[in-house]
Amino acid sequence: MWKDLANWPNFFTLLRILLIPVVIVFLTDPGPQSAVAAAATFFLASLSDFLDGYLARRYGLTTTLGKVLDPLADKLIVAAVLVMLVAMDRQPHLPAWAAAVMISREIAVTGLRALALAHGIVVEAETLGKYKMVLQMFALHGLLLHYPFFGIDFFAVGMYFFWLALAVAVWSGLEYFRHVLPMVWWSGAPPKPAA
């Protein structure tokens, strides 16, 4: 396990998790300067997501820990940002029900991955899930910036991408369950005991 933690892709994944409280602190201030700082920090987290995937594939540094930790890190930072965007005292804001649907999908897919892993099946990100993540990144950058900059209404742009991301999130979540549940059901292997 320590060897898995020491490789570069997993380092960037852990960095993404460590950036979550930094984004949250910036989002406690609803002003435009903090909005830019939060978006910049979130951009660094998104860049770390690209780097860990690139390095893992390019140099064959894929680990089981990385396959589990990478999507978990994505879900943690997305959930934290969504909760903060709903809770912030600035208008307009992200509808709470939309954030709840997105977070519920993330928790459901994470639970499904855990169930599959208990049966010895490692579930990697599917293509639809990757599209969802890209749309989500565009959406959250816009929603984090919130204010008009350079004549661009970043909140409106963020909401446009958010609705697309939400549709793909629901679709990809259903696809995960459609593909993974039969594998778990027919695996024949009993769940592994928790360590």
Side-chain angles (χ1 to χ4, degrees):
M1 167 145 171
W2 294 112
K3 183 182 174 185
D4 286 352
L5 284 172
N7 83 6
W8 280 106
N10 292 344
F11 167 79
F12 283 116
T13 300
L14 290 170
L15 175 64
R16 189 156 67 260
I17 293 170
L18 293 174
L19 286 174
I20 294 170
V22 180
V23 176
I24 290 172
V25 167
F26 284 130
L27 290 176
T28 57
D29 179 351
Q33 291 165 338
S34 291
V36 171
T41 306
F42 189 72
F43 176 77
L44 286 176
S46 301
L47 187 60
S48 78
D49 189 25
F50 167 77
L51 283 172
D52 67 25
Y54 171 77
L55 291 171
R57 289 186 301 272
R58 177 74 172 81
Y59 297 103
L61 297 172
T62 304
T63 63
T64 301
L65 177 66
K67 288 178 182 178
V68 174
L69 199 58
D70 179 56
L72 180 61
D74 294 340
K75 287 165 178 36
L76 287 173
I77 195 164
V78 165
V81 168
L82 288 172
V83 167
M84 290 303 295
L85 287 171
V86 168
M88 289 182 73
D89 186 22
R90 62 184 186 187
Q91 296 296 331
H93 63 83
L94 180 68
W97 70 265
V101 170
M102 186 69 83
I103 292 170
S104 297
R105 181 267 184 204
E106 302 296 0
I107 292 170
V109 170
T110 300
L112 180 65
R113 285 176 187 272
L115 176 64
L117 194 59
H119 287 270
I121 302 165
V122 176
V123 179
E124 297 185 46
E126 293 184 355
T127 304
L128 270 178
K130 291 175 183 176
Y131 289 151
K132 181 269 304 178
M133 196 63 189
V134 170
L135 290 167
Q136 210 170 47
M137 292 304 106
F138 280 112
L140 294 180
H141 279 95
L143 294 173
L144 285 167
L145 285 169
H146 184 79
Y147 298 96
F149 294 102
F150 311 110
I152 300 170
D153 183 346
F154 279 96
F155 180 81
V157 171
M159 286 307 300
Y160 171 79
F161 280 105
F162 184 83
W163 296 129
L164 291 174
L166 188 62
V168 176
V170 172
W171 180 16
S172 67
L174 293 172
E175 286 296 300
Y176 272 113
F177 275 85
R178 189 171 73 84
H179 287 122
V180 176
L181 278 181
M183 286 194 295
V184 170
W185 184 265
W186 298 110
S187 71
K192 295 177 182 174

